Amino acid sequence: MFTGLIREMARVKHFSGNRLSLKADHKPKLGDSIAINGTCLSVVSIESDGFSVELSPETLEHIATEKLSGNVHIEPAMMMGDRFEGHIVQGHIDTVGIIRSITDNGNSYDVIVDVDSEFIPLIPPKGSITIDGVSL
């Protein structure tokens, strides 16, 4: 589980096939779950300046892989006893939407996102969703 709050910006060192290597200050353990741009991935190797994660075929099919370059945001999975901030999100990607418009309402924003109609029933009324892993 994640909160949908960005904890650190990491730099993509290399992305090829199903492996993504990141330069980061965060020091995970082998096997840890970590959200990269909101997608829950597993740490498969630790390097001196960061770590690598592996993407399953299902993940590669559903995420915006073009965003896995430059800087990405990371969020380690919540630990039992952590303070709940943001929202509770799983890091499972159902679909990729397209932001149609953003309206500034002074102290909030309306973000209109187009998604395929088959995914509308998965969006709970007044529930939380994430865009690129940021809870909204």
Side-chain angles (χ1 to χ4, degrees):
M1 292 293 190
F2 302 92
T3 63
L5 300 176
I6 298 170
R7 299 299 181 189
E8 180 186 332
M9 295 303 291
R11 179 135 258 343
V12 173
K13 294 192 304 185
H14 185 70
F15 176 48
S16 178
N18 69 339
R19 195 172 189 114
L20 174 67
S21 295
L22 302 171
K23 179 177 182 177
D25 292 332
H26 179 69
K27 303 296 181 205
K29 295 180 185 135
L30 196 60
D32 279 0
S33 292
I34 188 160
I36 310 295
N37 285 352
T39 303
C40 179
L41 301 171
S42 296
V43 175
V44 294
S45 72
I46 308 293
E47 289 109 35
S48 61
D49 62 348
F51 58 93
S52 291
V53 293
E54 188 172 69
L55 291 79
S56 71
E58 171 84 3
T59 297
L60 288 167
E61 186 177 318
H62 286 91
I63 68 167
T65 55
E66 68 274 9
K67 292 190 171 193
L68 297 178
S69 64
N71 290 327
V72 296
H73 61 82
I74 64 175
E75 180 191 354
M78 292 178 62
M79 294 177 58
M80 216 38 156
D82 280 353
R83 179 172 173 232
F84 283 92
E85 303 174 87
H87 301 102
I88 299 173
V89 295
Q90 294 180 329
H92 300 165
I93 310 304
D94 295 311
T95 190
V96 174
I98 297 172
I99 296 176
R100 184 166 26 111
S101 65
I102 301 173
T103 304
D104 185 345
N105 295 316
N107 68 345
S108 66
Y109 293 88
D110 288 336
V111 180
I112 307 301
V113 180
D114 288 335
V115 297
D116 289 338
S117 60
E118 68 185 281
F119 295 100
I120 298 296
L122 300 176
I123 302 171
K126 298 187 180 187
S128 300
I129 64 167
T130 66
I131 295 180
D132 287 342
V134 178
S135 67
L136 303 172

